[in-house]
Amino acid sequence: MKFSADIQIMPLPDLRDAQGEAVLTSLPRTGVAGAVKVRIGKNIVFTLEADSEEKAREMVQLACEKLLTNTNTESFTFSIEPTTEESPEE
């Protein structure tokens, strides 16, 4: 079975987000006023094959913990959905 994994990675809430701070400072210069907080993260989407949704979840969890995130500075959440697509949407 094929599954689509959608992973959101964010800096831990207690850590400084230098990219977010830079964007927050720059927004008023672009005409966007009123923003009070910006956090910058990553979104990763990929398709995988697994025998079951449970196995797909285990595989994505392992990929996040071992490769895709630095668990000392980032947190992650993800969703899994069955798919017939060959590759993730662009």
Side-chain angles (χ1 to χ4, degrees):
M1 299 174 67
K2 291 184 181 174
F3 297 90
S4 176
D6 188 347
I7 304 161
Q8 294 78 42
I9 301 168
M10 293 297 292
L12 291 174
D14 294 340
L15 296 181
R16 181 174 174 256
D17 181 356
Q19 287 180 309
E21 291 172 0
V23 169
L24 181 63
T25 300
S26 298
L27 282 173
R29 288 183 289 219
T30 66
V32 178
V36 294
K37 186 174 184 179
V38 175
R39 304 284 290 171
I40 305 282
K42 298 179 271 189
N43 187 64
I44 301 171
V45 178
F46 66 91
T47 302
L48 67 150
E49 291 188 4
D51 294 334
S52 66
E53 185 172 334
E54 180 180 344
K55 183 64 176 168
R57 286 186 179 284
E58 290 172 6
M59 293 166 66
V60 172
Q61 180 80 26
L62 185 62
C64 289
E65 292 172 351
K66 300 287 186 180
L67 176 66
L68 301 176
T69 65
N70 176 345
T71 56
N72 292 317
T73 61
E74 299 171 313
S75 63
F76 64 90
T77 59
F78 64 87
S79 61
I80 299 282
E81 293 185 14
T83 186
T84 56
E85 292 181 23
E86 291 298 317
S87 61
E89 291 180 321
E90 307 228 358

